[in-house]
Amino acid sequence: MPVTYRDEAVVLRAQKLGEADRIVTLLTREHGRVRAVAKGVRKTMSRFGARLEPFMLIDVQLYEGRSLDTVAQVETIGPYGLTIVADYARYTAATAMLETAERLTETEREPALQQFLLLAGGLRTLSQKLHEPGLVLDAYLVRSLSVAGWAPSFTDCARCGETGPHRAFSLAMGGSVCRNCRPPGSAAPHPETLQLLSALLTGDWPRADASEARRRREASGLVAAYLQWHVERRVRSLRWVEREGDRPLIDVASIERAQAAVAPQNPQPQRDYDRPAPDPRP
């Protein structure tokens, strides 16, 4: 007989399969990231088709399979998707959160309780409209990176530990750096921007909510650059995130180029999709 198990999960993605089925990607509380087939959910009379949409927090029962599990039963715990999809800013922020969660849990069935709790809490906060969507997204990103082992420092020097605050910020070094450790190409964000990032990391929402729009945009640029530097792949959903005001004040591309010029002596091998296109000129 097939082995069954029950778990709480956030729906990360849903893909069409055949005429009536879907493959759903779930981030579960106890079993990590799981992919499963949901049979017949695209039919009009499906019992739980709407419960297996992205952003939903569910209680799900599954049958174990060789490559894909099978969804047997679903109950809704948090219908966050209903509120999130109704607001474009919240929808784009939540989409970036789902993509990041999937990137940070690449090994299937590897328990990731803290990542699950962070994602479920972030989606709940978005759906309740307690804070500005961009702030919720950035708070989730810096916390999920910390859980994954890339905790940024926004006060003391990330390299030598000298007591801060410091003005320079280095992606490769892991955050704020002192004058002696500052590499070429480091960013120089406003002190209030680093204070905002520290507040998002520690959950100081009164300070974060009171921040200026310019500081939020600058913080968003730093967080996006820091995420993509350590994940080593672009999170595509970030380009669609709707934020207050104009584009971020941090030029992410220039920071990445400057940091690459002073990369460690033994850099990671470059992947094919990261290589520049060949010059067509003779």
Side-chain angles (χ1 to χ4, degrees):
M1 294 182 62
V3 177
T4 64
Y5 64 95
R6 197 180 193 103
D7 207 344
E8 293 181 17
V10 173
V11 182
L12 299 180
R13 196 195 324 178
Q15 301 167 272
K16 293 181 180 179
L17 178 66
E19 296 182 356
D21 304 338
R22 278 180 180 163
I23 298 177
V24 292
T25 303
L26 308 172
L27 179 57
T28 67
R29 174 185 285 268
E30 298 181 2
H31 297 81
R33 185 163 66 87
V34 174
R35 293 199 306 152
V37 176
K39 297 183 178 180
V41 295
R42 292 164 56 200
K43 294 181 178 179
T44 306
M45 301 301 292
S46 173
R47 294 176 300 166
F48 46 74
R51 302 172 189 173
L52 291 173
E53 294 292 336
F55 317 122
M56 301 292 280
L57 178 63
I58 59 175
D59 183 313
V60 59
Q61 182 177 342
L62 303 107
Y63 294 100
E64 286 189 359
R66 292 185 178 180
S67 57
L68 296 173
D69 294 348
T70 302
V71 176
Q73 184 177 354
V74 181
E75 297 293 338
T76 301
I77 299 176
Y80 305 142
L82 299 176
T83 304
I84 289 174
V85 299
D87 183 275
Y88 183 74
R90 298 182 190 282
Y91 171 76
T92 55
T95 300
M97 291 166 63
L98 295 191
E99 184 179 353
T100 301
E102 190 169 0
R103 292 284 176 83
L104 295 177
T105 56
E106 290 189 342
T107 303
E108 292 191 8
R109 300 185 183 279
E110 182 176 288
L113 175 60
Q114 289 180 301
Q115 292 289 356
F116 167 80
L117 294 176
L118 281 173
L119 181 60
L123 294 175
R124 180 178 63 251
T125 302
L126 277 177
S127 68
Q128 294 175 344
K129 302 181 180 181
L130 299 177
H131 309 285
E132 193 268 325
L135 290 178
V136 178
L137 171 60
D138 290 337
Y140 167 76
L141 294 179
V142 295
R143 294 180 192 181
S144 61
L145 284 167
S146 299
V147 169
W150 296 304
S153 174
F154 299 122
T155 305
D156 299 337
C157 180
R159 186 172 185 272
C160 70
E162 181 180 338
T163 303
H166 303 292
R167 284 299 307 274
F169 189 94
S170 169
L171 303 180
M173 295 291 183
S176 297
V177 286
C178 63
R179 293 183 178 180
N180 296 330
C181 299
R182 175 178 182 172
S186 298
H190 194 280
E192 292 182 1
T193 299
L194 295 177
Q195 293 174 12
L196 170 59
L197 289 170
S198 180
L200 294 175
L201 181 60
T202 59
D204 186 354
W205 284 107
R207 171 176 287 187
D209 291 333
S211 60
E212 298 179 359
R214 285 176 56 84
R215 305 286 75 84
R216 295 182 185 184
R217 297 199 305 272
E218 191 174 35
S220 297
L222 284 176
V223 172
Y226 192 82
L227 170 67
Q228 294 177 169
W229 174 269
H230 289 285
V231 175
E232 297 181 355
R233 293 173 62 184
R234 289 190 177 276
V235 177
R236 297 179 181 180
S237 302
L238 286 177
R239 73 181 65 180
W240 307 115
V241 173
E242 184 177 276
R243 301 185 184 274
E244 293 184 4
D246 301 322
R247 59 186 179 182
L249 301 180
I250 295 292
D251 187 347
V252 176
S254 65
I255 295 176
E256 291 176 342
R257 289 194 297 269
Q259 297 286 5
V262 292
Q265 295 297 320
N266 297 316
Q268 294 292 328
Q270 191 175 38
R271 301 171 183 173
D272 291 340
Y273 53 75
D274 289 331
R275 297 183 184 279
D279 191 341
R281 295 174 297 181

